[in-house]
Amino acid sequence: MSILFVLLMFLLIMSISYFRGPRLQPAVKPALATGPQAPRIEREYGFEIPQGYCFHPGHTWVLKESPENARVGLDAFAADLLGTVDRVEVSGPNRWVRQGQRMVTLHGRGTSVVLLSPVEGVITEVNKDILEDPSLLSRDPYKDGWIAMVKAPDLAVNQKNLVQGSMVAPWMQNNVTRLNAMLAQLSPAMAQDGGVPLKGLFARITTDLQQKLVKEFFLS
C-alpha cells in the first residue's frame, strides 16, 4: 500500500512539474536572403566604389557570396554610358561560361552590347527582376540590378585577374580619361571635362562611334 502511495505521489509531482515548466519552442529557421545586401560605398576620385567588389576590364563585376559562389553584375560606369536598356538576354542556368566569355547581351535604342563574364563557372540563377525591368541595371547596378549567380570552383584564381581594392578608383578614372579623349577626337560635342559618363551618352552618338566604344570598353 505504501509503495503504491509513493508511486502516486511521484506521478503527481511529475505532472505538476510538466504543466508548470517552460515549454520548448520549435526552432525557427532563418529567412532566406532574396538578394545581395546593400554594399558599403566609399567615394574615391569622385566615384562611388562598392567595397569588396572585383571588376572585369569589360565593366562587369563579381561579388563573392561563398568560397565557390559569386554574384555578377554591370558596373556604374557602363550603366551610365549605356543609359536605357530595353531588353536583357542572359545565358541560361546550367550553362558553363569561361572568364572573359560572352555572358549577357543588352539591347536598347537600336543597338546591342555584349558583356563578358568576370569569372568561370556554371550559371545557377538569373535575376528575373532585370528581365522584367531592365532599368534596374542603371538605377541600382550594385544591388538589385545584379545579373546572375555563378558557381565558380576557381573563384579565388579568377579574382586575381580582376581589378580590386585600391586599384578600382584609379582604373575608373583611367576609363573616364580614355572616354573623354575618344569623344574629343571623334565627337567633340559630346566631350566632357571629367567625371562619370553622361547618362545615356551611348544613345547620343553615331553608330560608328558606338562600335568603337563597345570595342574599347566592353572588349567585345
Side-chain angles (χ1 to χ4, degrees), residues 81-82 108-113 179 182-183 185-191 200-215:
L81 180 62
L82 294 175
R109 300 294 177 89
T111 189
S112 299
V113 175
L179 173 62
M182 290 184 67
L183 291 175
Q185 180 181 3
L186 302 173
S187 182
M190 292 289 102
L201 175 65
F202 211 69
R204 307 182 186 191
I205 58 180
T206 65
T207 302
D208 182 60
L209 183 51
Q210 285 178 352
Q211 293 174 350
K212 293 181 184 299
L213 294 185
V214 166
K215 185 176 180 180

PDB file of all heavy atoms in Angstrom, residues 81-82 108-113 179 182-183 185-191 200-215:
ATOM      1  N   LEU A  81      27.025  54.954 -69.108  1.00  0.00           N
ATOM      2  CA  LEU A  81      27.363  55.100 -70.526  1.00  0.00           C
ATOM      3  C   LEU A  81      26.234  54.601 -71.418  1.00  0.00           C
ATOM      4  O   LEU A  81      25.856  55.257 -72.386  1.00  0.00           O
ATOM      5  CB  LEU A  81      28.658  54.335 -70.821  1.00  0.00           C
ATOM      6  CG  LEU A  81      29.187  54.377 -72.260  1.00  0.00           C
ATOM      7  CD1 LEU A  81      29.518  55.812 -72.660  1.00  0.00           C
ATOM      8  CD2 LEU A  81      30.417  53.493 -72.385  1.00  0.00           C
ATOM      9  N   LEU A  82      25.671  53.432 -71.083  1.00  0.00           N
ATOM     10  CA  LEU A  82      24.629  52.831 -71.921  1.00  0.00           C
ATOM     11  C   LEU A  82      23.275  53.498 -71.748  1.00  0.00           C
ATOM     12  O   LEU A  82      22.511  53.631 -72.705  1.00  0.00           O
ATOM     13  CB  LEU A  82      24.506  51.335 -71.601  1.00  0.00           C
ATOM     14  CG  LEU A  82      25.716  50.479 -71.972  1.00  0.00           C
ATOM     15  CD1 LEU A  82      25.516  49.054 -71.490  1.00  0.00           C
ATOM     16  CD2 LEU A  82      25.964  50.502 -73.471  1.00  0.00           C
ATOM     17  N   GLY A 108      19.137  48.017 -76.558  1.00  0.00           N
ATOM     18  CA  GLY A 108      18.499  49.293 -76.268  1.00  0.00           C
ATOM     19  C   GLY A 108      18.766  50.322 -77.342  1.00  0.00           C
ATOM     20  O   GLY A 108      19.884  50.404 -77.871  1.00  0.00           O
ATOM     21  N   ARG A 109      17.752  51.101 -77.673  1.00  0.00           N
ATOM     22  CA  ARG A 109      17.878  52.179 -78.647  1.00  0.00           C
ATOM     23  C   ARG A 109      18.497  51.705 -79.969  1.00  0.00           C
ATOM     24  O   ARG A 109      19.366  52.355 -80.542  1.00  0.00           O
ATOM     25  CB  ARG A 109      18.724  53.321 -78.054  1.00  0.00           C
ATOM     26  CG  ARG A 109      18.148  53.934 -76.786  1.00  0.00           C
ATOM     27  CD  ARG A 109      16.837  54.641 -77.045  1.00  0.00           C
ATOM     28  NE  ARG A 109      16.243  55.162 -75.834  1.00  0.00           N
ATOM     29  CZ  ARG A 109      16.490  56.388 -75.328  1.00  0.00           C
ATOM     30  NH1 ARG A 109      17.360  57.175 -75.943  1.00  0.00           N
ATOM     31  NH2 ARG A 109      15.883  56.786 -74.236  1.00  0.00           N
ATOM     32  N   GLY A 110      18.077  50.528 -80.417  1.00  0.00           N
ATOM     33  CA  GLY A 110      18.510  50.045 -81.707  1.00  0.00           C
ATOM     34  C   GLY A 110      19.903  49.465 -81.753  1.00  0.00           C
ATOM     35  O   GLY A 110      20.428  49.199 -82.838  1.00  0.00           O
ATOM     36  N   THR A 111      20.529  49.259 -80.615  1.00  0.00           N
ATOM     37  CA  THR A 111      21.865  48.682 -80.599  1.00  0.00           C
ATOM     38  C   THR A 111      21.959  47.580 -79.555  1.00  0.00           C
ATOM     39  O   THR A 111      21.102  47.474 -78.672  1.00  0.00           O
ATOM     40  CB  THR A 111      22.927  49.771 -80.293  1.00  0.00           C
ATOM     41  OG1 THR A 111      24.228  49.220 -80.488  1.00  0.00           O
ATOM     42  CG2 THR A 111      22.789  50.268 -78.870  1.00  0.00           C
ATOM     43  N   SER A 112      22.988  46.757 -79.669  1.00  0.00           N
ATOM     44  CA  SER A 112      23.191  45.664 -78.726  1.00  0.00           C
ATOM     45  C   SER A 112      24.632  45.684 -78.227  1.00  0.00           C
ATOM     46  O   SER A 112      25.558  45.973 -78.995  1.00  0.00           O
ATOM     47  CB  SER A 112      22.906  44.308 -79.379  1.00  0.00           C
ATOM     48  OG  SER A 112      21.562  44.242 -79.827  1.00  0.00           O
ATOM     49  N   VAL A 113      24.811  45.366 -76.947  1.00  0.00           N
ATOM     50  CA  VAL A 113      26.139  45.335 -76.339  1.00  0.00           C
ATOM     51  C   VAL A 113      26.312  44.009 -75.619  1.00  0.00           C
ATOM     52  O   VAL A 113      25.450  43.612 -74.820  1.00  0.00           O
ATOM     53  CB  VAL A 113      26.333  46.501 -75.346  1.00  0.00           C
ATOM     54  CG1 VAL A 113      27.675  46.373 -74.626  1.00  0.00           C
ATOM     55  CG2 VAL A 113      26.248  47.833 -76.067  1.00  0.00           C
ATOM     56  N   LEU A 179      37.703  57.711 -72.265  1.00  0.00           N
ATOM     57  CA  LEU A 179      36.431  58.020 -72.900  1.00  0.00           C
ATOM     58  C   LEU A 179      36.405  59.464 -73.388  1.00  0.00           C
ATOM     59  O   LEU A 179      36.030  59.746 -74.537  1.00  0.00           O
ATOM     60  CB  LEU A 179      35.285  57.780 -71.917  1.00  0.00           C
ATOM     61  CG  LEU A 179      33.889  58.210 -72.388  1.00  0.00           C
ATOM     62  CD1 LEU A 179      33.473  57.429 -73.632  1.00  0.00           C
ATOM     63  CD2 LEU A 179      32.871  58.022 -71.269  1.00  0.00           C
ATOM     64  N   MET A 182      38.584  59.961 -76.462  1.00  0.00           N
ATOM     65  CA  MET A 182      37.961  59.443 -77.682  1.00  0.00           C
ATOM     66  C   MET A 182      36.856  60.371 -78.167  1.00  0.00           C
ATOM     67  O   MET A 182      36.731  60.633 -79.367  1.00  0.00           O
ATOM     68  CB  MET A 182      37.397  58.040 -77.441  1.00  0.00           C
ATOM     69  CG  MET A 182      38.443  56.964 -77.245  1.00  0.00           C
ATOM     70  SD  MET A 182      37.722  55.301 -77.070  1.00  0.00           S
ATOM     71  CE  MET A 182      37.033  55.047 -78.721  1.00  0.00           C
ATOM     72  N   LEU A 183      36.059  60.882 -77.235  1.00  0.00           N
ATOM     73  CA  LEU A 183      34.962  61.768 -77.618  1.00  0.00           C
ATOM     74  C   LEU A 183      35.494  63.078 -78.178  1.00  0.00           C
ATOM     75  O   LEU A 183      34.952  63.617 -79.148  1.00  0.00           O
ATOM     76  CB  LEU A 183      34.062  62.036 -76.407  1.00  0.00           C
ATOM     77  CG  LEU A 183      33.232  60.849 -75.892  1.00  0.00           C
ATOM     78  CD1 LEU A 183      32.489  61.230 -74.629  1.00  0.00           C
ATOM     79  CD2 LEU A 183      32.256  60.368 -76.960  1.00  0.00           C
ATOM     80  N   GLN A 185      38.146  63.544 -79.782  1.00  0.00           N
ATOM     81  CA  GLN A 185      38.708  63.309 -81.105  1.00  0.00           C
ATOM     82  C   GLN A 185      37.637  62.966 -82.134  1.00  0.00           C
ATOM     83  O   GLN A 185      37.689  63.452 -83.269  1.00  0.00           O
ATOM     84  CB  GLN A 185      39.728  62.171 -81.043  1.00  0.00           C
ATOM     85  CG  GLN A 185      40.374  61.845 -82.386  1.00  0.00           C
ATOM     86  CD  GLN A 185      41.357  60.691 -82.273  1.00  0.00           C
ATOM     87  OE1 GLN A 185      41.521  60.093 -81.214  1.00  0.00           O
ATOM     88  NE2 GLN A 185      42.019  60.373 -83.377  1.00  0.00           N
ATOM     89  N   LEU A 186      36.664  62.145 -81.731  1.00  0.00           N
ATOM     90  CA  LEU A 186      35.691  61.630 -82.692  1.00  0.00           C
ATOM     91  C   LEU A 186      34.350  62.358 -82.670  1.00  0.00           C
ATOM     92  O   LEU A 186      33.620  62.365 -83.656  1.00  0.00           O
ATOM     93  CB  LEU A 186      35.463  60.136 -82.436  1.00  0.00           C
ATOM     94  CG  LEU A 186      36.720  59.262 -82.521  1.00  0.00           C
ATOM     95  CD1 LEU A 186      36.402  57.835 -82.089  1.00  0.00           C
ATOM     96  CD2 LEU A 186      37.285  59.274 -83.933  1.00  0.00           C
ATOM     97  N   SER A 187      34.002  62.931 -81.515  1.00  0.00           N
ATOM     98  CA  SER A 187      32.724  63.643 -81.401  1.00  0.00           C
ATOM     99  C   SER A 187      32.886  64.765 -80.383  1.00  0.00           C
ATOM    100  O   SER A 187      32.427  64.649 -79.238  1.00  0.00           O
ATOM    101  CB  SER A 187      31.611  62.676 -80.976  1.00  0.00           C
ATOM    102  OG  SER A 187      30.370  63.327 -80.913  1.00  0.00           O
ATOM    103  N   PRO A 188      33.543  65.866 -80.777  1.00  0.00           N
ATOM    104  CA  PRO A 188      33.859  66.953 -79.841  1.00  0.00           C
ATOM    105  C   PRO A 188      32.657  67.481 -79.056  1.00  0.00           C
ATOM    106  O   PRO A 188      32.792  67.875 -77.901  1.00  0.00           O
ATOM    107  CB  PRO A 188      34.438  68.033 -80.760  1.00  0.00           C
ATOM    108  CG  PRO A 188      34.984  67.270 -81.926  1.00  0.00           C
ATOM    109  CD  PRO A 188      34.032  66.130 -82.121  1.00  0.00           C
ATOM    110  N   ALA A 189      31.481  67.472 -79.663  1.00  0.00           N
ATOM    111  CA  ALA A 189      30.287  67.997 -78.992  1.00  0.00           C
ATOM    112  C   ALA A 189      29.913  67.180 -77.771  1.00  0.00           C
ATOM    113  O   ALA A 189      29.254  67.677 -76.854  1.00  0.00           O
ATOM    114  CB  ALA A 189      29.116  68.046 -79.963  1.00  0.00           C
ATOM    115  N   MET A 190      30.329  65.898 -77.734  1.00  0.00           N
ATOM    116  CA  MET A 190      29.990  65.013 -76.632  1.00  0.00           C
ATOM    117  C   MET A 190      31.076  64.941 -75.561  1.00  0.00           C
ATOM    118  O   MET A 190      30.901  64.297 -74.527  1.00  0.00           O
ATOM    119  CB  MET A 190      29.742  63.591 -77.163  1.00  0.00           C
ATOM    120  CG  MET A 190      28.510  63.429 -78.033  1.00  0.00           C
ATOM    121  SD  MET A 190      26.955  63.541 -77.103  1.00  0.00           S
ATOM    122  CE  MET A 190      26.449  65.218 -77.507  1.00  0.00           C
ATOM    123  N   ALA A 191      32.211  65.586 -75.781  1.00  0.00           N
ATOM    124  CA  ALA A 191      33.331  65.515 -74.846  1.00  0.00           C
ATOM    125  C   ALA A 191      32.974  66.168 -73.516  1.00  0.00           C
ATOM    126  O   ALA A 191      32.215  67.132 -73.462  1.00  0.00           O
ATOM    127  CB  ALA A 191      34.556  66.173 -75.446  1.00  0.00           C
ATOM    128  N   GLY A 200      23.248  57.953 -70.477  1.00  0.00           N
ATOM    129  CA  GLY A 200      22.637  57.786 -71.776  1.00  0.00           C
ATOM    130  C   GLY A 200      23.461  58.327 -72.928  1.00  0.00           C
ATOM    131  O   GLY A 200      22.939  58.520 -74.034  1.00  0.00           O
ATOM    132  N   LEU A 201      24.752  58.549 -72.693  1.00  0.00           N
ATOM    133  CA  LEU A 201      25.617  59.090 -73.739  1.00  0.00           C
ATOM    134  C   LEU A 201      25.602  58.215 -74.994  1.00  0.00           C
ATOM    135  O   LEU A 201      25.665  58.717 -76.125  1.00  0.00           O
ATOM    136  CB  LEU A 201      27.052  59.204 -73.201  1.00  0.00           C
ATOM    137  CG  LEU A 201      28.131  59.633 -74.191  1.00  0.00           C
ATOM    138  CD1 LEU A 201      27.878  61.059 -74.677  1.00  0.00           C
ATOM    139  CD2 LEU A 201      29.512  59.533 -73.553  1.00  0.00           C
ATOM    140  N   PHE A 202      25.500  56.923 -74.800  1.00  0.00           N
ATOM    141  CA  PHE A 202      25.559  55.975 -75.907  1.00  0.00           C
ATOM    142  C   PHE A 202      24.514  56.270 -76.970  1.00  0.00           C
ATOM    143  O   PHE A 202      24.779  56.123 -78.164  1.00  0.00           O
ATOM    144  CB  PHE A 202      25.374  54.558 -75.350  1.00  0.00           C
ATOM    145  CG  PHE A 202      26.087  53.504 -76.130  1.00  0.00           C
ATOM    146  CD1 PHE A 202      27.473  53.424 -76.133  1.00  0.00           C
ATOM    147  CD2 PHE A 202      25.380  52.563 -76.868  1.00  0.00           C
ATOM    148  CE1 PHE A 202      28.136  52.448 -76.854  1.00  0.00           C
ATOM    149  CE2 PHE A 202      26.040  51.579 -77.584  1.00  0.00           C
ATOM    150  CZ  PHE A 202      27.415  51.523 -77.586  1.00  0.00           C
ATOM    151  N   ALA A 203      23.327  56.681 -76.552  1.00  0.00           N
ATOM    152  CA  ALA A 203      22.231  56.913 -77.497  1.00  0.00           C
ATOM    153  C   ALA A 203      22.401  58.217 -78.272  1.00  0.00           C
ATOM    154  O   ALA A 203      21.690  58.454 -79.254  1.00  0.00           O
ATOM    155  CB  ALA A 203      20.895  56.929 -76.760  1.00  0.00           C
ATOM    156  N   ARG A 204      23.358  59.048 -77.869  1.00  0.00           N
ATOM    157  CA  ARG A 204      23.515  60.359 -78.499  1.00  0.00           C
ATOM    158  C   ARG A 204      24.638  60.404 -79.520  1.00  0.00           C
ATOM    159  O   ARG A 204      24.925  61.454 -80.082  1.00  0.00           O
ATOM    160  CB  ARG A 204      23.777  61.416 -77.418  1.00  0.00           C
ATOM    161  CG  ARG A 204      22.744  61.415 -76.311  1.00  0.00           C
ATOM    162  CD  ARG A 204      23.018  62.498 -75.312  1.00  0.00           C
ATOM    163  NE  ARG A 204      22.121  62.422 -74.161  1.00  0.00           N
ATOM    164  CZ  ARG A 204      22.001  63.370 -73.241  1.00  0.00           C
ATOM    165  NH1 ARG A 204      22.742  64.454 -73.331  1.00  0.00           N
ATOM    166  NH2 ARG A 204      21.172  63.219 -72.235  1.00  0.00           N
ATOM    167  N   ILE A 205      25.296  59.300 -79.727  1.00  0.00           N
ATOM    168  CA  ILE A 205      26.429  59.277 -80.639  1.00  0.00           C
ATOM    169  C   ILE A 205      26.119  58.404 -81.851  1.00  0.00           C
ATOM    170  O   ILE A 205      25.146  57.643 -81.862  1.00  0.00           O
ATOM    171  CB  ILE A 205      27.706  58.769 -79.937  1.00  0.00           C
ATOM    172  CG1 ILE A 205      27.483  57.365 -79.353  1.00  0.00           C
ATOM    173  CG2 ILE A 205      28.127  59.730 -78.835  1.00  0.00           C
ATOM    174  CD1 ILE A 205      28.688  56.778 -78.653  1.00  0.00           C
ATOM    175  N   THR A 206      26.949  58.507 -82.857  1.00  0.00           N
ATOM    176  CA  THR A 206      26.729  57.753 -84.091  1.00  0.00           C
ATOM    177  C   THR A 206      26.970  56.263 -83.879  1.00  0.00           C
ATOM    178  O   THR A 206      27.657  55.852 -82.939  1.00  0.00           O
ATOM    179  CB  THR A 206      27.667  58.259 -85.195  1.00  0.00           C
ATOM    180  OG1 THR A 206      29.023  57.984 -84.804  1.00  0.00           O
ATOM    181  CG2 THR A 206      27.491  59.752 -85.420  1.00  0.00           C
ATOM    182  N   THR A 207      26.421  55.478 -84.779  1.00  0.00           N
ATOM    183  CA  THR A 207      26.601  54.025 -84.712  1.00  0.00           C
ATOM    184  C   THR A 207      28.071  53.650 -84.812  1.00  0.00           C
ATOM    185  O   THR A 207      28.544  52.748 -84.117  1.00  0.00           O
ATOM    186  CB  THR A 207      25.815  53.329 -85.840  1.00  0.00           C
ATOM    187  OG1 THR A 207      24.428  53.659 -85.727  1.00  0.00           O
ATOM    188  CG2 THR A 207      25.968  51.821 -85.774  1.00  0.00           C
ATOM    189  N   ASP A 208      28.803  54.358 -85.662  1.00  0.00           N
ATOM    190  CA  ASP A 208      30.229  54.083 -85.828  1.00  0.00           C
ATOM    191  C   ASP A 208      30.979  54.313 -84.514  1.00  0.00           C
ATOM    192  O   ASP A 208      31.828  53.506 -84.118  1.00  0.00           O
ATOM    193  CB  ASP A 208      30.812  54.973 -86.931  1.00  0.00           C
ATOM    194  CG  ASP A 208      32.283  54.686 -87.173  1.00  0.00           C
ATOM    195  OD1 ASP A 208      32.616  53.541 -87.536  1.00  0.00           O
ATOM    196  OD2 ASP A 208      33.100  55.614 -86.987  1.00  0.00           O
ATOM    197  N   LEU A 209      30.657  55.399 -83.830  1.00  0.00           N
ATOM    198  CA  LEU A 209      31.317  55.692 -82.556  1.00  0.00           C
ATOM    199  C   LEU A 209      30.874  54.715 -81.483  1.00  0.00           C
ATOM    200  O   LEU A 209      31.672  54.310 -80.624  1.00  0.00           O
ATOM    201  CB  LEU A 209      31.014  57.135 -82.122  1.00  0.00           C
ATOM    202  CG  LEU A 209      31.688  57.623 -80.828  1.00  0.00           C
ATOM    203  CD1 LEU A 209      33.187  57.359 -80.864  1.00  0.00           C
ATOM    204  CD2 LEU A 209      31.406  59.099 -80.604  1.00  0.00           C
ATOM    205  N   GLN A 210      29.628  54.292 -81.521  1.00  0.00           N
ATOM    206  CA  GLN A 210      29.152  53.279 -80.581  1.00  0.00           C
ATOM    207  C   GLN A 210      29.994  52.016 -80.682  1.00  0.00           C
ATOM    208  O   GLN A 210      30.418  51.449 -79.675  1.00  0.00           O
ATOM    209  CB  GLN A 210      27.682  52.941 -80.862  1.00  0.00           C
ATOM    210  CG  GLN A 210      26.688  53.991 -80.416  1.00  0.00           C
ATOM    211  CD  GLN A 210      25.272  53.600 -80.763  1.00  0.00           C
ATOM    212  OE1 GLN A 210      25.030  52.618 -81.473  1.00  0.00           O
ATOM    213  NE2 GLN A 210      24.305  54.349 -80.257  1.00  0.00           N
ATOM    214  N   GLN A 211      30.243  51.582 -81.903  1.00  0.00           N
ATOM    215  CA  GLN A 211      31.026  50.367 -82.119  1.00  0.00           C
ATOM    216  C   GLN A 211      32.449  50.519 -81.598  1.00  0.00           C
ATOM    217  O   GLN A 211      33.025  49.580 -81.043  1.00  0.00           O
ATOM    218  CB  GLN A 211      31.027  50.018 -83.608  1.00  0.00           C
ATOM    219  CG  GLN A 211      29.658  49.607 -84.141  1.00  0.00           C
ATOM    220  CD  GLN A 211      29.653  49.395 -85.643  1.00  0.00           C
ATOM    221  OE1 GLN A 211      30.614  49.720 -86.339  1.00  0.00           O
ATOM    222  NE2 GLN A 211      28.559  48.843 -86.150  1.00  0.00           N
ATOM    223  N   LYS A 212      33.015  51.708 -81.759  1.00  0.00           N
ATOM    224  CA  LYS A 212      34.369  51.958 -81.257  1.00  0.00           C
ATOM    225  C   LYS A 212      34.395  51.907 -79.729  1.00  0.00           C
ATOM    226  O   LYS A 212      35.329  51.359 -79.129  1.00  0.00           O
ATOM    227  CB  LYS A 212      34.872  53.315 -81.750  1.00  0.00           C
ATOM    228  CG  LYS A 212      35.109  53.383 -83.255  1.00  0.00           C
ATOM    229  CD  LYS A 212      35.620  54.755 -83.651  1.00  0.00           C
ATOM    230  CE  LYS A 212      35.778  54.877 -85.156  1.00  0.00           C
ATOM    231  NZ  LYS A 212      36.754  53.922 -85.727  1.00  0.00           N
ATOM    232  N   LEU A 213      33.363  52.459 -79.083  1.00  0.00           N
ATOM    233  CA  LEU A 213      33.303  52.452 -77.619  1.00  0.00           C
ATOM    234  C   LEU A 213      33.071  51.034 -77.085  1.00  0.00           C
ATOM    235  O   LEU A 213      33.631  50.666 -76.051  1.00  0.00           O
ATOM    236  CB  LEU A 213      32.193  53.386 -77.128  1.00  0.00           C
ATOM    237  CG  LEU A 213      32.388  54.883 -77.391  1.00  0.00           C
ATOM    238  CD1 LEU A 213      31.273  55.679 -76.728  1.00  0.00           C
ATOM    239  CD2 LEU A 213      33.738  55.369 -76.894  1.00  0.00           C
ATOM    240  N   VAL A 214      32.247  50.268 -77.787  1.00  0.00           N
ATOM    241  CA  VAL A 214      31.999  48.874 -77.368  1.00  0.00           C
ATOM    242  C   VAL A 214      33.302  48.091 -77.393  1.00  0.00           C
ATOM    243  O   VAL A 214      33.619  47.340 -76.459  1.00  0.00           O
ATOM    244  CB  VAL A 214      30.942  48.210 -78.284  1.00  0.00           C
ATOM    245  CG1 VAL A 214      30.925  46.702 -78.083  1.00  0.00           C
ATOM    246  CG2 VAL A 214      29.569  48.784 -77.985  1.00  0.00           C
ATOM    247  N   LYS A 215      34.058  48.245 -78.465  1.00  0.00           N
ATOM    248  CA  LYS A 215      35.330  47.527 -78.589  1.00  0.00           C
ATOM    249  C   LYS A 215      36.336  47.981 -77.526  1.00  0.00           C
ATOM    250  O   LYS A 215      37.073  47.166 -76.965  1.00  0.00           O
ATOM    251  CB  LYS A 215      35.913  47.752 -79.984  1.00  0.00           C
ATOM    252  CG  LYS A 215      37.179  46.954 -80.256  1.00  0.00           C
ATOM    253  CD  LYS A 215      37.649  47.139 -81.689  1.00  0.00           C
ATOM    254  CE  LYS A 215      38.914  46.335 -81.947  1.00  0.00           C
ATOM    255  NZ  LYS A 215      39.390  46.502 -83.360  1.00  0.00           N
TER     256      LYS A 215
END
